[in-house]
Amino acid sequence: MESTFKAGLKNAVLTLMAEKKEDLNSQLLALQEASNADTKSSMGDKYETGRESINQSRDLLEKQKVLLDRDEKMVIQTSVDPSSTVCLGALVKVQLDWLWVAASIGKVMHKEQEIQVVSADSPLVIALKGKCAGDKVDFRGRAIEILQVV
């Protein structure tokens, strides 16, 4: 796997994030429409409870959007240059998974390869930081061997 693979992976992650943003915006729009359609009835408490539920849902979606924006900026700034050690931008093969150190996104399929996109602040990456292929670390009582770093 070379830097063109990493560049494609970066684009795939950014596309996935754009889709998530679009979904969040759709949900926010639906909440706004629900809020606008909600008319005050003679049952004031029911109206207030519904309004509060909508506000809580909106707040949750807004927080998710802020986190997604932060992660998107991190991915944009992440280098796709080759790496020899585990660092931001490194593509790392361990026994069970490929990891791309960028932002906490989760699993992404790219060119028929499942890759776990993780933050540089994740406990596993912190344990692996600065190590290279062939190195082993103890992580939560388990030996993790780095098979490849790209």
Side-chain angles (χ1 to χ4, degrees):
M1 291 192 194
E2 67 283 341
S3 59
T4 56
F5 181 87
K6 285 169 61 173
L9 174 61
K10 182 176 183 174
N11 287 334
V13 169
L14 289 171
T15 298
L16 177 67
M17 295 175 98
E19 290 168 1
K20 284 184 178 184
K21 268 185 164 180
E22 194 174 304
D23 182 50
L24 286 174
N25 286 332
S26 295
Q27 290 181 55
L28 283 166
L29 183 60
L31 281 175
Q32 185 61 46
E33 289 172 357
S35 177
N36 292 345
D38 198 11
T39 57
K40 194 159 190 163
S41 66
S42 59
M43 297 174 60
D45 287 344
K46 182 179 176 186
Y47 168 80
E48 293 302 326
T49 302
R51 179 75 84 195
E52 182 58 28
S53 177
I54 290 171
N55 287 337
Q56 288 177 1
S57 295
R58 182 181 304 124
D59 290 346
L60 180 63
L61 291 172
E62 290 289 350
K63 286 177 186 173
Q64 289 174 354
K65 196 172 167 191
V66 166
L67 292 174
L68 190 57
D69 286 341
R70 182 200 67 195
D71 287 345
E72 181 182 46
K73 286 177 185 165
M74 178 61 82
V75 171
I76 288 169
Q77 295 171 359
T78 299
S79 171
V80 294
D81 293 337
S83 303
S84 58
T85 61
V86 177
C87 61
L88 184 64
L91 187 58
V92 183
K93 175 70 173 157
V94 293
Q95 290 100 321
L96 303 174
D97 261 337
W98 277 100
L99 309 172
W100 185 45
V101 183
S104 183
I105 306 299
K107 291 190 188 247
V108 173
M109 285 298 291
H110 178 60
K111 295 193 177 185
E112 299 178 14
Q113 182 69 50
E114 189 175 78
I115 298 164
Q116 184 75 25
V117 183
V118 295
S119 164
D121 297 331
S122 75
L124 178 57
V125 173
I126 290 170
L128 298 174
K129 191 172 186 171
K131 306 289 185 204
C132 56
D135 288 348
K136 293 181 183 177
V137 297
D138 183 54
F139 181 70
R140 297 183 178 165
R142 213 170 74 192
I144 304 288
E145 182 179 3
I146 300 171
L147 303 174
Q148 190 176 355
V149 179
V150 181

